[in-house]
Amino acid sequence: NPINAVAELESFLRGHSPIIVFSIPFFLWLALIEIFNPSRFIKLILFIFLALQQGLYSHATMIRSELYSLFFWSLSVFFLAKAVKRIKKQTFFLVITGIFLGLCFHTKTQTIFYMFLVPLLFLLLTDKQKEYLVQPKISKLALSNFLFFSLLLLAGYCVSIHPRFWTFTQTYQINIVGVFFSVLFFLLWIGHKRFPALEPLIYLSSGWIGTVFTYFLIYARPKTSLDYIFYLAKTLYFRSNNQDISLINFKTIMNTISAAISSNPILYVATLALIINAALLYSKKRQRIFIVFIALITFINLVIAHRGYLQDDMIRELILIFLSAFFILFLLQKTKKYSLTH
């Protein structure tokens, strides 16, 4: 009976949700501990602060792709912390971070601003950590990333999706997502020679692209894996926009943001205040620019992650809660009156 198979699969997937819901704040907690090394008391308070998220636990019995996406993001933050603290193995951890960022984005494209937040945090934490030099192998790697992504786009454009492969979209065209990432990989390639400090981002992008090879770990037949890789490229980078763009204007954007903030005003105001205070404490202009971009990403995410019919606060609030914890620890570290360590 095929219904029994579906019921068993549903039960199997639901069994994962509580584990994932617990794992997301757990890995974020480990990442903050790795970066700031606080005392035991602060570790305990920090874990309680991260763990008590209504937006997460309200989905503990549901099958949501968002949970998997945020789980991969939490792993990327964890390995990013490793990359920040372990300079000798930084390249390895950056590639692993990129792989989990790719899994995060390809699982749920609404988490795109979560993905952008990770390299900004890395640049903020490692500003002038070491000097980067122009290396031929890095230029070749950046070129390989650009060429591979271009070939992936070409394959996605040319492939015909099997009728039994159900998607949300029946028509396909060049969209802004594919154009954006093409330009991004191109700029990393040509910009590396002028700005050698882009080297960590090239390693991140290599891991991000390498995400597509994880399909070969799932399917026994290589042809099936290739088909799904090409289907992924077509449905993601050539998906037509069915929404009426003319309806998206300043008024609707402001209404969306105000509705999100009114649902939890203390969290939004507190996060913004912490970000502003952190920016004032940084002495370097470049670090302040990074923080400004972090703030912009955080609040633009309110619009991208908004889906009113689900009353979904999970994607909107996790990024705010994490950044609140991050900048609280940063401010405590900068304040001589308090000590983070034992």
Side-chain angles (χ1 to χ4, degrees), residues 136-236:
K137 65 176 183 179
I138 303 301
S139 299
K140 291 179 181 178
L141 181 61
L143 175 59
S144 299
N145 291 342
F146 172 66
L147 292 177
F148 182 85
F149 186 76
S150 300
L151 290 173
L152 182 64
L153 286 182
L154 180 62
Y157 179 79
C158 296
V159 72
S160 296
I161 295 181
H162 194 280
R164 293 184 179 180
F165 186 87
W166 185 85
T167 67
F168 288 101
T169 308
Q170 300 301 324
T171 58
Y172 298 92
Q173 61 187 26
I174 297 174
N175 64 25
I176 190 172
V177 179
V179 173
F180 172 80
F181 281 105
S182 298
V183 172
L184 179 63
F185 284 117
F186 179 74
L187 291 177
L188 285 176
W189 170 42
I190 65 171
H192 168 67
K193 294 182 180 180
R194 183 175 179 84
F195 303 102
L198 291 175
E199 178 182 325
L201 302 186
I202 294 173
Y203 289 128
L204 272 176
S205 62
S206 298
W208 189 88
I209 290 177
T211 301
V212 299
F213 294 106
T214 58
Y215 278 89
F216 291 99
L217 302 176
I218 301 173
Y219 301 104
R221 297 177 58 195
K223 184 180 183 305
T224 305
S225 301
L226 281 174
D227 287 341
Y228 272 81
I229 289 172
F230 297 154
Y231 291 174
L232 171 70
K234 192 174 191 74
T235 55
L236 179 58

Side-chain angles (χ1 to χ4, degrees), residues 21-236:
V21 164
F22 174 80
S23 299
I24 292 171
F26 178 71
F27 280 110
L28 294 178
W29 178 68
L30 290 178
L32 292 174
I33 289 175
E34 180 76 22
I35 294 170
F36 295 102
N37 188 28
S39 64
R40 291 181 180 178
F41 175 74
I42 294 180
K43 286 179 183 178
L44 177 62
I45 298 300
L46 179 63
F47 182 76
I48 294 173
F49 177 72
L50 291 172
L52 297 180
Q53 297 187 44
Q54 182 271 340
L56 280 177
Y57 283 97
S58 62
H59 297 86
T61 59
M62 301 182 187
I63 302 174
R64 297 289 303 276
S65 58
E66 288 88 346
L67 286 177
Y68 291 90
S69 181
L70 294 177
F71 171 67
F72 292 136
W73 180 74
S74 68
L75 284 172
S76 73
V77 175
F78 171 72
F79 285 107
L80 177 82
K82 295 289 185 182
V84 169
K85 289 298 181 179
R86 305 188 184 187
I87 300 178
K88 292 183 179 180
K89 295 184 178 180
Q90 190 174 87
T91 299
F92 170 76
F93 285 120
L94 283 173
V95 173
I96 299 299
T97 300
I99 290 174
F100 284 111
L101 278 181
L103 289 171
C104 167
F105 176 68
H106 290 120
T107 303
K108 197 69 180 178
T109 55
Q110 280 180 303
T111 56
I112 185 169
F113 286 104
Y114 277 79
M115 184 184 67
F116 292 148
L117 177 64
V118 170
L120 282 173
L121 288 176
F122 178 83
L123 294 173
L124 179 66
L125 292 168
T126 61
D127 186 52
K128 295 297 182 181
Q129 188 184 61
K130 67 176 184 179
E131 293 293 332
Y132 294 97
L133 303 174
V134 178
Q135 301 182 45
K137 65 176 183 179
I138 303 301
S139 299
K140 291 179 181 178
L141 181 61
L143 175 59
S144 299
N145 291 342
F146 172 66
L147 292 177
F148 182 85
F149 186 76
S150 300
L151 290 173
L152 182 64
L153 286 182
L154 180 62
Y157 179 79
C158 296
V159 72
S160 296
I161 295 181
H162 194 280
R164 293 184 179 180
F165 186 87
W166 185 85
T167 67
F168 288 101
T169 308
Q170 300 301 324
T171 58
Y172 298 92
Q173 61 187 26
I174 297 174
N175 64 25
I176 190 172
V177 179
V179 173
F180 172 80
F181 281 105
S182 298
V183 172
L184 179 63
F185 284 117
F186 179 74
L187 291 177
L188 285 176
W189 170 42
I190 65 171
H192 168 67
K193 294 182 180 180
R194 183 175 179 84
F195 303 102
L198 291 175
E199 178 182 325
L201 302 186
I202 294 173
Y203 289 128
L204 272 176
S205 62
S206 298
W208 189 88
I209 290 177
T211 301
V212 299
F213 294 106
T214 58
Y215 278 89
F216 291 99
L217 302 176
I218 301 173
Y219 301 104
R221 297 177 58 195
K223 184 180 183 305
T224 305
S225 301
L226 281 174
D227 287 341
Y228 272 81
I229 289 172
F230 297 154
Y231 291 174
L232 171 70
K234 192 174 191 74
T235 55
L236 179 58

Side-chain angles (χ1 to χ4, degrees), residues 241-255:
N241 192 345
N242 296 323
Q243 296 178 345
D244 188 356
I245 302 297
S246 63
L247 296 177
I248 302 177
N249 51 43
F250 180 77
K251 183 178 180 180
T252 57
I253 290 174
M254 293 308 298
N255 288 339

